[in-house]
Amino acid sequence: MTNLVRVGIAGTGHSVPPRVVTNDDLSKIVDTNDEWISKRTGIKARRFVDDGTDCSHLCGEAARQAIEAAGLKPEDIDLIIVGSLTQDHLMPTISTLVQTRLGCTNAGAFDVLAACTGFLTALHTAETFVAAGRAKNVLAIGGETLSRYLDMSDRGSCILFGDGAGAALVRPLDDCGGQGEILRQVLGADGEGYEFIHIPMGGAKTPPHHPDYDSTEHFIRVAGRDVYRFAVNKMTEMIREITEGYDKDDIKIVVPHQVNMRIIDAARERLDWPMDKFFVNIEKYGNTSAGSVPIAFDEAVRQGKLEKGDLCVLVAFGAGLTWGATLIKW
Ligand code: UT7
């Protein structure tokens, strides 16, 4: 598809809650240990929210930083798109809470649901609006408070996830001073893997007042091995697809979904790309689902990993199953 308007990223931001939960902390409540978690996942710690902080607060703070980094004001924003599976309420949306708290008085707002691919789905949608001339200044946000859906007696899942959010401000490239052009985006899905990562109950099929409702099924369940295989294949495939026509030396960094260090490393090995191309912060935050890619991307930007003209790949996948990738020229 040829864009009518070329689109760029004018600013980024991220927010994680202050409470650090280490592997040793988890080993006091579930049968696990730092050595197993570190070796099998690369995770050393994650952040959990406390009561009183919700996903909308993390998303709002990440968005506030992105607006500031772009040199804009909240009233300049005309659309807010949030990707999250941990909405504060089943309805209405996180995006409307972000809209009112930040004072984005001229913005429309909606949420998208694509689990760990939530941010890239929001970014893809934001780019499409701007490319079509339907909006000028769009916030694409991804965030989660998955700690609220963790079964702390299930060591196969509770050690994996953390809370956090990230954001990008998408504008016409001319208004970004030529920075951060979104060159390519792809999204995909395969509902055959619907139950690989899911929260079995609590939705409209079995709401809490349903006779079959079981509160122990209102937690995230992960078929770890199945997801592992899918993730390695999909990450490899997506990076190949989004960089087609480019040489690996043309790509400065890849910001992968921070899912598991072994998954990232296995994909990297199949591609035969060097590890220093991959921006990884999983040791600090674990897997923050829709927050994972935009948090890491903002850290990479703020650490000066990208210079003008560098090519950067964002890649994510998750429940659904869903996946997506973006190629950006910084
Ligand atoms: O963003 C998408 C969501 N993320 C995912 O869905 C995660 C993808 N999958 C993974 O990252 C990995 O599959 C896991 C980290 C979840 C598991 O790693 P694994 O190498 O696939 O381990 P496994 O499930 O095959 O388990 C190996 C052993 C088992 O013991 P036995 O049967 O060999 O005696 C498990 O019971 O490790 C045991 N185990 C643990 N031991 C200590 C599983 N979880 C733990 C734990 N601590 N937390």
Side-chain angles (χ1 to χ4, degrees):
M1 191 188 84
T2 310
N3 285 349
L4 301 174
V5 177
R6 289 167 72 190
V7 179
I9 293 175
T12 58
H14 83 269
S15 171
V16 291
R19 180 155 64 100
V20 178
V21 178
T22 64
N23 294 342
D24 284 337
D25 293 334
L26 291 183
S27 71
K28 290 177 190 127
I29 47 179
V30 66
D31 180 17
T32 189
N33 55 76
D34 175 50
E35 195 194 348
W36 192 96
I37 302 174
S38 302
K39 260 200 188 144
R40 298 271 183 153
T41 70
I43 301 167
K44 287 287 197 186
R46 70 287 292 142
R47 305 293 183 94
F48 283 177
V49 286
D50 290 311
D51 284 350
T53 301
D54 298 311
C55 192
S56 61
H57 297 105
L58 303 177
C59 289
E61 172 54 20
R64 192 196 61 70
Q65 291 174 18
I67 295 171
E68 188 180 283
L72 293 178
K73 296 191 289 299
E75 51 272 34
D76 297 325
I77 305 304
D78 46 21
L79 187 60
I80 301 168
I81 309 170
V82 172
S84 179
L85 63 93
T86 51
Q87 298 98 323
D88 299 9
H89 302 98
L90 277 180
M91 65 165 267
T93 58
I94 291 179
S95 53
T96 49
L97 288 172
V98 171
Q99 181 274 329
T100 188
R101 292 206 193 116
L102 294 190
C104 298
T105 46
N106 298 308
F110 61 88
D111 289 10
V112 292
L113 250 181
C116 301
T117 319
F119 172 73
L120 288 188
T121 305
L123 188 66
H124 199 124
T125 313
E127 184 222 345
T128 307
F129 268 87
V130 176
R134 293 294 173 92
K136 275 202 93 168
N137 302 318
V138 184
L139 278 167
I141 306 168
E144 302 300 352
T145 45
L146 265 174
S147 62
R148 299 257 162 85
Y149 288 108
L150 295 182
D151 177 351
M152 297 311 285
S153 66
D154 175 11
R155 66 181 184 176
S157 62
C158 74
I159 54 116
L160 297 171
F161 298 100
D163 301 336
L169 210 159
V170 176
R171 307 187 74 192
L173 190 65
D174 286 346
D175 296 334
C176 299
Q179 171 188 279
E181 182 170 13
I182 298 174
L183 297 177
R184 294 177 181 170
Q185 299 217 79
V186 289
L187 289 176
D190 178 7
E192 288 297 310
Y194 192 81
E195 292 187 353
F196 282 6
I197 316 163
H198 77 316
I199 299 175
M201 292 196 180
K205 185 177 158 81
T206 33
H209 53 80
H210 191 282
D212 295 338
Y213 176 75
D214 172 354
S215 62
T216 62
E217 291 299 314
H218 203 147
F219 294 119
I220 188 162
R221 300 290 176 206
V222 173
R225 282 279 176 93
D226 293 319
V227 178
Y228 193 99
R229 272 190 294 274
F230 153 74
V232 173
N233 290 336
K234 195 48 75 179
M235 189 182 297
T236 313
E237 197 182 295
M238 293 305 293
I239 293 173
R240 279 206 184 106
E241 185 180 336
I242 203 82
T243 61
E244 201 187 333
Y246 291 97
D247 187 75
K248 69 178 167 194
D249 294 332
D250 297 331
I251 309 299
K252 183 72 184 301
I253 54 167
V254 178
V255 179
H257 177 34
Q258 310 289 312
V259 53
N260 180 326
M261 194 56 220
R262 282 160 58 220
I263 292 174
I264 297 169
D265 201 41
R268 179 204 66 74
E269 226 175 273
R270 284 191 188 181
L271 291 161
D272 192 23
W273 285 22
M275 193 56 220
D276 62 8
K277 258 192 210 307
F278 287 73
F279 187 87
V280 176
N281 62 10
I282 192 171
E283 69 285 356
K284 292 190 291 186
Y285 306 134
N287 176 353
T288 56
S289 182
S292 146
V293 166
I295 293 171
F297 183 52
D298 182 53
E299 286 197 343
V301 167
R302 287 174 194 268
Q303 288 172 24
K305 301 281 180 200
L306 290 169
E307 287 172 18
K308 195 161 170 52
D310 284 343
L311 293 179
C312 166
V313 170
L314 312 181
V315 58
F317 39 81
L321 299 165
T322 57
W323 55 87
T326 303
L327 180 67
I328 296 165
K329 184 177 178 189
W330 198 244

